[in-house]
């Protein structure tokens, strides 16, 4: 339409060339004509409407797709007279069309009607009214206004009729007609929308009412159910043996619960609380102990091989309990490496006495609330582990095993050890307070037993209240017997096998113990026996095997290649490498210490993750060697002109403790004097500056580990001679144990002259 500006994208090749020609030859003037059929791409002059417009190119932008975006300002209506050429673009002669008015009076009335109609409803008629309103305000003529409005008419309107009409009266009439049509369509649309909305409103209302009805029904049903439950709780509270004070609290809580709708969140919290109170064992809800000590002792014997001293201590402990008819005032604590039977002893004690057995692991507990529970004001509050255990026990006198008490940690959330103290202290534990419970709870009839891997890590005040019973590593012989007497029969039963269906030869069993496991206890051994059982069951079901015998030869078919090579050959004698004996919470172990030196300024380098005590031992050892250099044939300048490097391999394991003193000294002397060390000798002992060898701990564990790794002789501090009783006989038979009083003796034995 004339009197407008508009943008359009242009891509067809002839059109693009026409654009270029208009720019270069016709001062940006161009004719725009309408195709009769817009689907047709390949057009001739006959495909074009005769009336079009003359326009000026105002802006031409090239788009990434190579089309042009062009803005035109349309100035005139034109009528094409004839075409001069049609290739590559059309060139034609034209005349400008002059707008007329058939009747100025009619024009005025029509104009007034158009303005009225338009101003009432313009947003329905046109796409952007602002520019039109501006044109009206500027006092545009009927000619201009009709073009401006027609250009922007909404809907599916034939606009060519406006373009080709030269009488402005007709154009205004068309506008009024199109307005009317548009209004009818809009009304129709509104009506349809209204109807749709009405039907949606209706169904929404029904949905809402139905939901409401459901909620009411639920409420009525739940109330009946809740009433029933309240009655049941009331009965349980009255029958329960809880102290009168606690009972009163439970009653109060129950009446609050009864008057709270169970749609409310608090209702659930109250319910859980009341449930906890009535489910806890109270008063004399106790099991009756087996007081026949002989029977108890036999039961322990039948379940646990060896451990004579341990079992004896347990029986004594229980004897006191029977005599006094109350729990002894100390708590048993089994200390030892993993898999030596600490937990299972606890279970056996419970079984032998006929008490319930409860186990809670304290490993990693750092929050006091885990022991003592959370206050009920917290969302998801729960009682602590002790009360949870009692809920499980259902009797007031279970055997309660607190596992890994040495692995408790403390942080800003409080000190769990302090809470444990209250649990374990017989003076206090008849009034144990749990934050969740809010009422005191009597733990005095519970038999607490604790376990730990290392004694040092148990907080001192707790340790004071405990009777420590140490369990140590098993020797091969003990493991062998445990395997045949306990592990194998149990695994056979668990796998539904009879002892004629699976036999493990003794040689094979030793092979498993020596070359497939390296542990203080028997857990891995147990697992491997279970693996053999599993594979046997599979063979029986798939291959119809009648019976399986495991020999040393066919063992690898079941367990794969051996994982360790214990008791095989020791390395050759070397300079600067000495085997020490260590004692960790996982049992005894051997530890090679390496020393070397190189040009330097008399420095000392220590690597291998050593603790402070071990670093000091290294300093002391070096000072000792320096002061006795001459005796071992080490020239003094070897210290000054070199740096000495001490390395203890297996960097991931933190190592500490003074008992590596002799080993460090021997390694330094060997390295600096260039004399090799006997690789079949292991040693342990603290050394003073004067060279005196001081006693160490864990002799039994260390000697077992020494034998396990193929050492033939071990050097131990003279003062440890008294501990030789603890060393199992079969170890003493195979291992030469030499007590030494000072480092000089150690070097005499270890260094090869
Ligand atoms: P811990 O608590 O010391 O880590 P467990 O009590 O869990 O060890 O024992 C691991 C397994 O070894 C258990 O199946 C247990 O029955 C068995 N076991 C350990 N020592 C003996 C033993 N002396 N006699 C019989 N079975 C034992």
């Amino acid at each position: 339409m004339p009197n407008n500006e508009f943008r359009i994208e242009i891509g067809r090749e002839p059109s693009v060339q026409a654009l270029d020609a208009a720019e270069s030859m016709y001062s940006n003037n161009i004719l725009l004509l309408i195709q009769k059929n817009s689907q047709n791409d390949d057009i001739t002059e006959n495909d074009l409407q005769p009336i079009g417009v003359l326009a000026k190119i105002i802006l031409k932008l090239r788009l990434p797709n190579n089309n042009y975006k062009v803005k035109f300002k349309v100035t005139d209506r034109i009528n094409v007279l004839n075409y001069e050429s049609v290739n590559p673009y059309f060139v034609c002669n034209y005349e400008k069309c002059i707008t007329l008015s058939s009747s100025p009076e009619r024009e005025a009335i029509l104009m007034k009607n158009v303005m009225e109609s338009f101003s009432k409803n313009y947003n329905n008629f046109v796409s952007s009214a602002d520019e039109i309103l501006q044109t009206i305000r500027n006092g545009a003529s009927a000619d201009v206004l009709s073009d401006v409005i027609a250009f922007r008419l909404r809907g599916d309107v034939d606009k060519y009729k406006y373009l080709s009409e030269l009488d402005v009266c007709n154009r205004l009439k068309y506008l009024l007609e199109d307005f009317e049509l548009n209004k009818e369509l809009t009304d129709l649309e509104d009506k349809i929308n209204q109807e749709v909305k009405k039907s949606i409103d209706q169904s929404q209302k029904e949905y809402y009412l139905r939901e409401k009805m459901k909620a009411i029904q639920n409420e009525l049903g739940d109330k009946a159910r809740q009433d029933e439950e309240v009655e049941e709780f009331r009965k349980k509270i009255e029958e329960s043996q809880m102290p009168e004070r606690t009972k009163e609290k439970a009653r109060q809580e129950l009446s609050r619960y009864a008057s709270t709708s169970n749609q409310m969140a608090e209702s659930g919290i109250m319910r859980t609380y009341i449930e906890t109170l009535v489910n806890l064992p109270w008063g004399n809800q106790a099991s009756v102990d087996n007081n026949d000590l002989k029977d108890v002792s036999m039961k322990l014997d039948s379940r646990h091989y060896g451990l004579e001293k341990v079992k004896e201590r347990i029986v004594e402990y229980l004897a006191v309990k029977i005599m006094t008819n109350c729990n002894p005032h100390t708590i048993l604590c089994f200390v030892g490496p993993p898999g030596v039977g600490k937990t299972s002893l606890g279970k056996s004690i419970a079984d032998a006495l006929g008490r319930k057995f409860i186990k809670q692991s304290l490993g990693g507990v750092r929050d006091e609330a885990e022991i003592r529970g959370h206050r009920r004001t917290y969302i998801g509050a729960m009682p602590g582990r002790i009360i949870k255990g009692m809920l499980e026990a259902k009797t007031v006198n279970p055997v309660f095993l607190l596992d890994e008490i040495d692995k408790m940690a403390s942080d800003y959330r409080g000190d769990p050890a302090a809470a444990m103290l209250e649990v374990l202290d017989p003076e206090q534990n008849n009034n144990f307070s749990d934050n969740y419970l809010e009422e005191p709870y009597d733990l005095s009839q519970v038999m607490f037993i604790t376990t730990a891997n290392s004694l040092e890590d148990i907080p001192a005040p707790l340790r004071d209240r405990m009777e420590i019973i140490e369990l140590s590593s098993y020797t091969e012989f003990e493991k062998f017997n445990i395997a045949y007497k306990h592990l194998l029969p149990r695994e056979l039963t668990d796998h539904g096998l009879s002892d004629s269906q699976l036999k493990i030869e003794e040689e094979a069993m030793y092979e498993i113990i020596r070359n497939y496991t390296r542990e203080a206890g028997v857990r891995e051994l147990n697992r491997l026996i279970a693996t053999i059982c599993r594979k046997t069951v599979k063979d029986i079901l798939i291959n119809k095997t009648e019976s399986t015998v495991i020999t040393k030869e066919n063992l690898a078919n079941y367990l794969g290649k051996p994982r360790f090579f214990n008791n095989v050959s020791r390395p050759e004698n070397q300079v600067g490498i000495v085997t020490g004996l260590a004692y960790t919470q996982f049992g005894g172990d051997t530890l090679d210490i390496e020393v070397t030196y190189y040009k330097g300024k008399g420095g000392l380098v220590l690597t291998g993750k050593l603790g402070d005590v071990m670093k000091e031992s290294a300093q002391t050892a070096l000072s000792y060697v320096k002061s006795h250099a001459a005796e071992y044939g080490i020239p003094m300048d070897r210290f000054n002109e070199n740096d000495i490097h001490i390395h203890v391999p297996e960097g991931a394991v933190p190592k500490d403790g003074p008992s590596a003193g002799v080993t460090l000294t021997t390694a330094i002397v060997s390295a600096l004097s260039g004399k090799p060390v006997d690789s079949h000798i292991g040693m342990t002992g603290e050394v003073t500056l004067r060279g005196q060898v001081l006693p160490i701990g864990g002799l039994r564990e260390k000697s077992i580990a020494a034998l396990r790794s193929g050492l033939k002789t071990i050097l131990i501090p003279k003062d440890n001679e008294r501990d030789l009783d603890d060393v199992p006989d079969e170890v003493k038979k195979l291992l030469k144990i030499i007590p030494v009083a000072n480092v000089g003796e150690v070097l005499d034995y270890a260094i090869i002259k």
Side-chain angles (χ1 to χ4, degrees), residues 303-307 336-345 403 451 453 474 482 486-487 490 522-523 526:
R303 292 233 207 156
H304 297 270
Y305 171 83
L307 303 174
V340 293
K342 300 183 295 298
T343 318
S344 43
L345 267 176
D403 215 4
T451 79
N453 288 143
Y474 291 124
I482 294 173
H486 297 277
L487 309 181
R490 192 173 59 206
V522 292
R523 280 213 192 135
N526 197 12

Side-chain angles (χ1 to χ4, degrees), residues 30-194:
I30 193 162
L31 293 186
L32 306 173
L33 298 178
I34 300 174
Q35 263 178 245
K36 287 175 186 162
N37 177 0
S38 61
Q39 307 297 321
N40 193 352
D41 256 358
D42 204 9
I43 51 168
T44 68
E45 57 268 43
N46 295 329
D47 295 320
L48 295 171
Q49 299 282 14
I51 309 274
V53 292
L54 174 64
K56 209 172 182 82
I57 302 166
I58 309 181
L59 200 75
K60 193 174 114 189
L61 285 177
R62 198 188 185 109
L63 300 179
N65 61 2
N66 278 336
N67 287 355
Y68 285 97
K69 185 108 193 169
V70 187
K71 187 174 176 189
F72 295 105
K73 182 176 172 61
V74 183
T75 50
D76 298 284
R77 261 185 188 72
I78 56 99
N79 184 16
V80 173
L81 298 174
N82 59 15
Y83 286 88
E84 262 183 19
S85 69
V86 292
N87 205 3
Y89 45 86
F90 299 130
V91 176
C92 63
N93 293 307
Y94 67 91
E95 60 175 8
K96 285 192 182 169
C97 304
I98 309 295
T99 302
L100 8 134
S101 172
S102 51
S103 150
E105 296 82 33
R106 201 161 162 251
E107 183 190 323
I109 295 169
L110 283 166
M111 180 76 169
K112 185 171 148 258
N113 289 353
V114 165
M115 301 277 259
E116 259 173 27
S117 214
F118 182 79
S119 56
K120 255 191 253 160
N121 238 336
Y122 49 81
N123 277 331
N124 283 345
F125 299 154
V126 295
S127 49
S128 61
D130 290 353
E131 281 179 52
I132 305 177
L133 293 172
Q134 189 59 38
T135 320
I136 295 174
R137 264 179 238 120
N138 292 347
S141 67
D143 177 22
V144 172
L145 191 68
S146 61
D147 281 344
V148 171
I149 297 181
F151 178 64
R152 293 189 170 73
L153 274 179
R154 267 184 206 275
D156 191 12
V157 178
D158 169 19
K159 296 192 178 168
Y160 186 67
K161 76 180 178 211
Y162 289 93
L163 191 62
S164 55
E165 182 57 64
L166 301 185
D167 183 352
V168 72
C169 294
N170 286 346
R171 277 194 229 148
L172 292 170
K173 196 180 89 203
Y174 293 154
L175 278 180
L176 286 173
E177 281 168 10
D178 280 336
F179 285 172
E180 195 54 37
L181 190 67
N182 193 315
K183 196 157 165 285
E184 271 171 30
L185 286 177
T186 322
D187 287 351
L188 190 62
E189 203 175 298
D190 282 353
K191 203 167 144 217
I192 292 172
N193 282 347
Q194 285 287 339

Side-chain angles (χ1 to χ4, degrees), residues 362 371 386 402 405 408 416-425 462:
L362 300 179
I371 310 288
I386 304 296
L402 298 162
I405 198 156
M408 265 186 328
M420 280 320 296
L421 207 56
E422 192 184 324
V423 173
L424 297 180
D425 187 348
L462 279 178

